[in-house]
Each structure stands twice: as C-alpha cells, then as structure tokens.
Amino acid sequence: MPIWVIELFGAQELDAAFLLIALMTAPVWIAMIFFPQASLVRRIAHPLVVASFYSIILCILLWQSYQAMGLPRLIEEASYSAARDFSQHPIAFLALFCNLQILNLVVGTLMYQKARRHGFMAPVELCLCWGLGAPAVVPFGLRLLLRGRALR
C-alpha cells in the first residue's frame, strides 16, 4: 500500500499508535525509578520478562499491518537509500520505534538489576536511559567505578 494512502486515511491511527508505543514502557520505567524496592518491580524488571511482553505487542502491530496490507516492501539491496526509504514507511517506522523502546527498556532493566546487586539505586541513570537509551550506560559505568565496583 502506498505511503500517502496510509498517511491520508490512517493519520489518526498512526498518531495513536505512535503515542501508545512511546508510552507503553512508561509503567516499568516509573516503577524502576520511583518504586525500586517494591517486590513486584523486582520480579518484573528483568530483561527477559519485559522484552518478551513488549515483543508480543510488536508482533501484534506487525500482524495487524500484515492483515491491512500495510507492510512496506522488503529491502531489495543493501544501501543507505534503500534503508532510508524503508524506514520512511509509517508501519516500518512504528516497528523500528517499538524495537528501540524495547531495547532501551532491556538496557534499563539490566542497569536496575546491576545497581540492586551492588546495593544502590540509579534513578538518574534510569531516567537518562529512558530518554537516551544506551549512552546512559556511560554514567552508570562511571558510578560503578567510583563506588569501587567491577564492571562485570
């Protein structure tokens, strides 16, 4: 299906899907930042748990797009322009954004677990990870080093 048709007739649905994807991980982030000692948070803040749960949402997004014939064409060649064209498709962009949210949350849950194992909380680093993703590992690693902890 052409991009302009998707954007013309599905603009509200695309906006709603983007907002849903942007906020879907917020409950876990808020729980890890503000309620790190809660037993429920300690159980669910595990990379395999959150990645599995949110991957199901990604699969639902892809399945609904497949049923609506809204999936983009596959990349035919390995080039920058082909990848750019692919990512400009609204459904591909939503899927890539959903993947980014999942990966950021996986990094955040790993930082949360590591901080708990070493006896401290890392709310600033988790906030940075929520907003920036992987670059938040740098201040987290520095904090571990300053506390005299190994990076293993």
Side-chain angles (χ1 to χ4, degrees):
M1 185 177 298
I3 293 173
W4 68 269
V5 173
I6 295 171
E7 289 178 347
L8 179 66
F9 294 108
Q12 287 182 323
E13 289 82 3
L14 289 172
D15 286 341
F18 178 80
L19 190 59
L20 174 74
I21 291 169
L23 296 176
M24 73 179 182
T25 59
V28 179
W29 284 112
I30 290 168
M32 287 190 305
I33 293 167
F34 294 109
F35 310 105
Q37 299 297 338
S39 62
L40 178 63
V41 176
R42 289 193 307 256
R43 281 194 299 263
I44 65 168
H46 189 280
L48 294 177
V49 172
V50 296
S52 299
F53 176 74
Y54 289 115
S55 293
I56 292 169
I57 294 173
L58 176 59
C59 290
I60 291 169
L61 169 71
L62 293 174
W63 179 253
Q64 287 181 344
S65 301
Y66 171 75
Q67 286 184 326
M69 297 179 158
L71 291 176
R73 290 189 335 262
L74 293 176
I75 297 176
E76 296 171 1
E77 61 180 280
S79 68
Y80 171 76
S81 60
R84 183 192 63 225
D85 292 343
F86 177 79
S87 67
Q88 287 178 341
H89 190 282
I91 303 302
F93 174 78
L94 289 174
L96 292 170
F97 183 61
C98 189
N99 272 307
L100 177 66
Q101 293 292 88
I102 294 168
L103 291 174
N104 285 352
L105 189 58
V106 166
V107 171
T109 55
L110 288 169
M111 288 172 35
Y112 169 81
Q113 287 183 339
K114 182 85 169 168
R116 281 196 37 79
R117 255 185 261 123
H118 289 292
F120 68 96
M121 296 297 112
V124 173
E125 292 88 343
L126 288 173
C127 287
L128 286 172
C129 191
W130 189 5
L132 298 175
V137 172
V138 173
F140 183 74
L142 290 173
R143 185 169 179 188
L144 283 173
L145 289 173
L146 290 174
R147 292 177 63 89
R149 305 293 182 178
L151 294 177
R152 294 182 274 158

